[in-house]
Amino acid sequence: MTLLSEAPVLVTGACGLVGRATVTALRARGLPVVATDLGSRANREHAASLPADRDLAWRWADLTSPEQARGLVKASAPRAVVHLAAVIPPACYASPGVAEAVNVGGTRNLTEAVVDHAPQARFVHASSVAVHGSRNPHRGLGLLGPDTPLAPSDLYGRHKAAAEEVVRAIATPWVVLRLGGVMTTEVSGGNDADTSYFSASLPDDGRIQTVDVRDVARAFAAAVDADVVGEILMIGGDESHRLVQRDIATGYTAALGMDGAVPPGLPGDPDDDTTWFATDWMDTTRAQEALGFQQVSWPRLLEEVREQVGWKRYLLRLVGPPMHALAVRRSPYAGTGRTHADPWGAVERRWPAATS
Ligand SMILES: NC(=O)c1ccc[n+]([C@@H]2O[C@H](COP(=O)([O-])OP(=O)(O)OC[C@H]3O[C@@H](n4cnc5c(N)ncnc54)[C@H](O)[C@@H]3O)[C@@H](O)[C@H]2O)c1
């Protein structure tokens, strides 16, 4: 391993969506980083593709192994740990046992290693608004905040709530960042079938506060030394990110030049509190005051997508109609006769183990 110039920040899940951006944000602050993730071929290739940097070191570890978590912390001697590694929806529904081993067990292994071998290090933990469970916007529930009760509706929310409890019980310094819907301007080849199915199951009119991944990364990079020990902070974008689920599909597809590619989904049932998705609008005032991370508005994010796609939007326009037809056929509600969405029922139909 490279000899770093001073005690580093250890970042888990460093090859993931938030992890890649967080490593960049920490290095932009001049902080040395030990980045870690599973040692898969794709992850090693990602690490190898980055420009040479003597203050960025990579270590491969599986956090479900207490020994590997311990070895990682001992070898990196971190000043802070940013814990992002997790198995998130919809992958967690397909492999609930693995997901729990990572989301809860991995967090326990890592916190124990930190308490034993780096007790001075601050533990900055990635949680999710999923801990608050289904949110029916017709109930006047107000904004999500750190004191909103934990009431998870699915296994992912339960894992994230259990992991928060593990973190909040450690005797060493901690801070929890509860994230809303993380968005990226990076244009990829499109969603896989599971992600498309899951997205299509969500109530069109459910509230969600999105946030650009670079703003999330700025929040994590600031949280390693800001005056926030012992706090739970709500990480969402500025007020332009207070959307309903349908806005995401229409915004992205329009920015890509593929208007109409995603057919409308179903609305949520105003009379059934259990069939809404686990997202809502958030009060980010304290988080923004302490971490100063909100820079990318929702319109700016879409503008960047549009700029990136450039002339290719004329080609993508051709993909819109067949994509629409496929999405109609593959809708989680096709042939069910339902008039309102039921995302948890849709999860159970596709991944029976997720609710057993
Ligand atoms: N993406 C979102 O919208 C969102 C929303 C709320 C909260 N979060 C939380 O933010 C964090 C980062 O999410 P993300 O979107 O970057 O997820 P991601 O799936 O892109 O990245 C997670 C990373 O964890 C790694 N990982 C999985 N199992 C591991 C193991 N056994 N040992 C070591 N590493 C392992 C994966 O290889 C992956 O690189 C997670 O804790 C997630 O729960 C994400």
Side-chain angles (χ1 to χ4, degrees):
M1 189 172 111
T2 335
L3 210 56
L4 301 171
S5 54
E6 52 185 312
V9 178
L10 174 63
V11 180
T12 75
C15 295
L17 174 65
V18 178
R20 292 191 303 270
T22 300
V23 169
T24 303
L26 285 163
R27 292 298 301 119
R29 282 198 56 195
L31 298 171
V33 170
V34 172
T36 182
D37 207 306
L38 292 170
S40 66
R41 189 169 159 187
N43 288 346
R44 288 171 191 268
E45 281 174 3
H46 164 70
S49 74
L50 299 177
D53 177 351
R54 62 180 290 274
D55 273 328
L56 170 60
W58 286 87
R59 292 187 68 88
W60 308 111
D62 180 344
L63 296 176
T64 63
S65 153
E67 296 73 29
Q68 291 189 34
R70 221 165 261 282
L72 177 67
V73 171
K74 270 185 172 172
S76 14
R79 71 165 77 181
V81 177
V82 175
H83 179 41
L84 305 169
V87 180
I88 68 172
C92 61
Y93 302 132
S95 310
V98 174
E100 184 170 14
V102 177
N103 298 347
V104 188
T107 302
R108 189 171 293 115
N109 293 339
L110 192 63
T111 51
E112 285 176 0
V114 169
V115 169
D116 289 348
H117 303 293
Q120 77 298 335
R122 179 180 298 192
F123 197 91
V124 184
H125 179 70
S127 189
S128 163
V129 292
V131 297
H132 302 296
S134 291
R135 301 280 296 181
N136 180 348
H138 300 275
R139 295 287 184 223
L141 295 172
L143 300 176
L144 292 172
D147 298 328
T148 305
L150 304 192
S153 299
D154 71 328
L155 70 86
Y156 176 66
R158 282 193 291 279
H159 294 171
K160 297 306 281 189
E164 268 198 27
E165 278 169 28
V166 167
V167 171
R168 289 154 66 181
I170 58 178
T172 51
W174 58 264
V175 53
V176 168
L177 270 52
R178 268 187 208 148
L179 315 185
V182 182
M183 299 288 145
T184 175
T185 55
E186 278 172 35
V187 178
S188 69
N191 287 337
D192 59 68
D194 283 351
T195 304
S196 300
Y197 173 93
F198 182 59
S199 305
S201 77
L202 308 178
D204 261 3
D205 52 346
R207 297 199 301 206
I208 178 164
Q209 189 154 341
T210 51
V211 54
D212 186 283
V213 69
R214 292 162 297 178
D215 282 356
V216 175
R218 257 186 285 279
F220 277 107
V224 300
D225 53 14
D227 189 10
V228 290
V229 168
E231 289 194 55
I232 297 169
L233 298 165
M234 308 302 286
I235 306 299
D238 67 17
E239 289 193 11
S240 69
H241 284 270
R242 289 184 181 165
L243 308 173
V244 294
Q245 201 68 46
R246 178 74 190 149
D247 295 332
I248 298 178
T250 51
Y252 262 100
T253 46
L256 292 168
M258 299 163 68
D259 309 65
V262 179
L266 293 179
D269 184 347
D271 298 320
D272 185 351
D273 292 349
T274 64
T275 50
W276 293 84
F277 189 40
T279 54
D280 204 342
W281 298 343
M282 310 150 79
D283 181 354
T284 61
T285 316
R286 168 62 192 149
Q288 172 62 5
E289 172 194 272
L291 306 176
F293 63 98
Q294 292 170 334
Q295 290 188 14
V296 186
S297 69
W298 175 244
R300 177 67 212 147
L301 188 157
L302 293 179
E303 189 50 43
E304 283 190 36
V305 173
R306 212 168 282 129
E307 284 165 8
Q308 250 196 74
V309 174
W311 62 268
K312 292 192 194 113
R313 59 191 294 110
Y314 299 108
L315 295 179
L316 286 169
R317 190 177 290 167
L318 303 174
V319 183
M323 204 174 132
H324 179 104
L326 187 68
V328 168
R329 272 204 312 281
R330 290 192 174 165
S331 161
Y333 303 117
T336 64
R338 287 194 68 90
T339 52
H340 290 105
D342 174 15
W344 310 127
V347 164
E348 190 173 2
R349 280 196 301 283
R350 192 168 179 104
W351 299 283
T355 47
S356 60

